[in-house]
Amino acid sequence: MVGLPARGKSYIAKKLARYLNWLQYPTRLFNVGERRRLAVAPPGTEFDEPGQTDTRVTWTHDAHFFDPRCAAARSWRDQLAMDALNELLDWLDTPGATIGIFDATNSTSARRRALLDCVRHRVSTPPDVLFLESVCENSSVLERNMRLKLKGPDYASQASEVAMKDLEERIRNYASAYVPIGEDEIAEGIPFIRVFDTGRQVTMNRVQSFLSMVALDYLLSFHLENRRIWLTCNGQSLDDVSGKIGRQSELSEEGVRFSRALATFMRERGPTLAGDEAGSAEQRPDEDRMAGQALNKTPASRLQVWTSMMSQSIRTAEEFPPQDVIKMQMLGDMDAGDMRGMTYDQISAERPDVAAARARDIVNFRWPGVGGEGYVDVINRLRAVVLELERSRDHILVISHRAIVRVLLAYFMGLEKSRLYTLDIPYGSLFSIEPGAYSAK
């Protein structure tokens, strides 16, 4: 990561890590600020022996600690950064580790060059390196970011006026030495992405590796507008009543009642649950309420209804205006392969080998036969759906199937794959998700 303080670096880093982990690319964040807070005392600390050197009591991490003119403090900051980078490289050497995100300002060409030199000298086969800079040009967004930072561990114990003054001075200190990513990196052929105002504009240079392109696709979907996403399973189908899996089926009478109740609920209560126009100010954290305002955006007003191409999903959406309904093949139920149309009791009796394999490892299990899928296949299939969910400015109701709802909830909740099947998804339930500026609720 690259950028001045309060530019949204950690927000982007955390959200990107959640997405990459959901895609099954093991990713870990390495935040230099967390390491600094363990090594350097908080602002306002008083010491009996302020002249000591090379110990925790030498410095507080107030604005003076970030003054580029102070060689001793700069040296300490550089050492903390290199310690964190070496920890990241150690982790990348562990089995299964795929992506390390180095979350720090890295705001000078010298620091970025030192990081690259460390990687190249430390690792015999250097990993792909991508610089990701967060730039904030909108003054309202910056003010919101700064006020949010005052709630963080650096300033939580201080009065807001004192903390804001110190933060402003810290930013000025960084800005005095700040060198944005640009001509130097272009001349050296270094891959980078620059994100402006958390998604308003994205520029790039030499982004070519597979995982870098995965990250770029995701970053292109970012925005800060207020909207809400609802997830639900199709109404009860005739196959649900009989316990048969993996095929198209008409709704039962109970399923028809649910489809009508769902449309009534969304028509009567949906607008009051979605956005600033009717929701009370107390319903959302300050930073989430301010996100749309900061960019002079109006909250979403249209409701899109997404269904699969399976009849039980389409029938559940029949009470909604046809022009608002979008049918997607990608939202289809997990394909049961050769077991389509069978009950679990039938599978146990006729294919005990399949039932045993599923019982041993249900998360990594894949149904046998042509088209048979498992949870990993569903995650890969839903990648495009997640990108569109992130990109859309409208409210969205997804009417899909139990496995699909599980996987989408796991994305928004940041759950590991091993916890997928522990999610209870009862029929008739409706999950409401609000992708806020800094978290999904």
Side-chain angles (χ1 to χ4, degrees):
M1 300 301 300
V2 176
L4 294 172
R7 264 57 181 182
K9 295 185 302 299
S10 292
Y11 161 64
I12 292 174
K14 290 176 182 177
K15 190 165 181 174
L16 182 59
R18 172 163 61 92
Y19 176 65
L20 293 168
N21 277 312
W22 177 76
L23 285 177
Q24 308 308 302
Y25 303 118
T27 303
R28 183 175 164 188
L29 286 171
F30 295 83
N31 184 282
V32 176
E34 293 177 359
R35 182 178 286 270
R36 165 179 54 78
R37 282 185 281 273
L38 294 174
V40 183
T45 305
E46 296 182 359
F47 305 116
D48 294 331
E49 301 179 68
Q52 294 186 43
T53 58
D54 297 327
T55 69
R56 176 183 170 85
V57 302
T58 305
W59 299 99
T60 63
H61 51 92
D62 55 14
H64 177 64
F65 183 73
F66 302 95
D67 189 339
R69 296 169 298 181
C70 181
R74 185 175 66 248
S75 176
W76 200 337
R77 294 199 310 274
D78 289 343
Q79 185 58 54
L80 290 170
M82 289 303 163
D83 289 346
L85 179 61
N86 279 306
E87 183 183 358
L88 183 156
L89 295 174
D90 288 340
W91 180 76
L92 284 178
D93 279 339
T94 61
T98 304
I99 302 167
I101 299 180
F102 186 69
D103 186 9
T105 55
N106 302 315
S107 55
T108 67
S109 296
R111 164 68 70 81
R112 297 192 289 270
R113 193 172 297 110
L115 297 178
L116 286 174
D117 288 344
C118 178
V119 171
R120 290 164 178 165
H121 289 99
R122 165 81 191 274
V123 183
S124 56
T125 304
D128 291 327
V129 175
L130 173 70
F131 284 112
L132 173 54
E133 182 175 19
S134 181
V135 182
C136 189
E137 297 180 334
N138 186 296
S139 59
S140 297
V141 174
L142 178 58
E143 180 183 359
R144 184 217 52 206
N145 288 349
M146 292 174 67
R147 293 194 179 280
L148 183 63
K149 197 168 183 68
L150 297 187
K151 301 176 183 178
D154 279 353
Y155 294 108
S157 62
Q158 288 188 289
S160 58
E161 297 82 1
V162 175
M164 179 60 80
K165 182 178 179 180
D166 185 85
L167 177 57
E168 289 172 344
E169 186 179 352
R170 178 195 295 194
I171 293 174
R172 284 194 294 271
N173 283 334
Y174 269 109
S176 67
Y178 175 45
V179 180
I181 286 181
E183 295 303 322
D184 290 345
E185 284 77 11
I186 292 174
E188 296 181 35
I190 297 172
F192 67 77
I193 299 172
R194 303 187 78 207
V195 180
F196 295 81
D197 296 326
T198 321
R200 176 181 59 80
Q201 179 182 2
V202 177
T203 63
M204 61 180 175
N205 179 67
R206 298 182 66 86
V207 178
Q208 298 171 337
S209 72
F210 172 73
L211 288 177
S212 294
M213 290 300 298
V214 170
L216 176 61
D217 283 347
Y218 188 60
L219 293 167
L220 288 171
S221 70
F222 276 25
H223 65 84
L224 294 175
E225 295 182 37
N226 295 322
R227 76 286 181 31
R228 193 173 289 241
I229 297 167
W230 290 271
L231 305 176
T232 189
C233 298
N234 59 265
Q236 184 188 65
S237 70
L238 296 177
D239 271 3
D240 292 330
V241 174
S242 61
K244 295 178 181 178
I245 64 171
R247 67 178 185 179
Q248 307 231 23
S249 176
E250 294 301 316
L251 295 183
S252 67
E253 291 185 6
E254 177 62 30
V256 172
R257 284 194 292 271
F258 173 75
S259 70
R260 292 170 180 164
L262 177 64
T264 299
F265 177 86
M266 296 303 298
R267 183 170 55 251
E268 295 180 355
R269 296 192 59 193
T272 69
L273 298 174
D276 292 350
E277 61 270 38
S280 69
E282 289 74 23
Q283 287 177 322
R284 295 184 313 283
D286 290 343
E287 59 270 21
D288 291 349
R289 289 203 314 273
M290 294 171 64
Q293 300 167 6
L295 290 174
N296 297 316
K297 300 292 185 181
T298 56
S301 57
R302 180 191 173 197
L303 173 67
Q304 293 186 29
V305 181
W306 296 2
T307 75
S308 74
M309 300 293 288
M310 301 182 78
S311 58
Q312 55 266 53
S313 174
I314 295 172
R315 298 301 185 203
T316 306
E318 274 191 334
E319 298 292 324
F320 292 92
Q323 66 270 21
D324 293 337
V325 178
I326 300 173
K327 304 177 183 70
M328 297 184 181
Q329 188 73 38
M330 294 174 290
L331 287 173
D333 201 2
M334 182 187 292
D335 196 320
D338 291 344
M339 308 298 114
R340 291 187 209 100
M342 298 176 68
T343 67
Y344 287 112
D345 287 342
Q346 284 179 299
I347 294 170
S348 295
E350 299 176 23
R351 292 294 304 271
D353 56 324
V354 173
R358 183 173 181 269
R360 280 195 302 271
D361 188 0
I362 193 167
V363 173
N364 291 301
F365 170 78
R366 175 181 286 143
W367 290 108
V370 176
E373 292 182 307
Y375 275 107
V376 173
D377 303 297
V378 171
I379 289 170
N380 289 329
R381 168 154 59 90
L382 291 180
R383 174 184 165 190
V385 173
V386 164
L387 291 177
E388 191 56 32
L389 283 171
E390 290 286 358
R391 185 178 297 118
S392 176
R393 269 68 170 170
D394 293 326
H395 304 306
I396 296 172
L397 168 64
V398 177
I399 303 174
S400 189
H401 312 274
R402 185 169 286 169
I404 306 307
V405 173
R406 275 200 183 102
V407 171
L408 291 176
L409 277 176
Y411 164 70
F412 285 109
M413 297 171 67
L415 298 181
E416 295 180 359
K417 182 179 67 172
S418 60
R419 296 183 59 191
L420 265 174
Y421 203 74
T422 65
L423 289 173
D424 185 24
I425 313 292
Y427 280 105
S429 59
L430 177 65
F431 296 90
S432 176
I433 299 165
E434 188 171 5
Y438 283 81
S439 62
K441 299 185 180 301

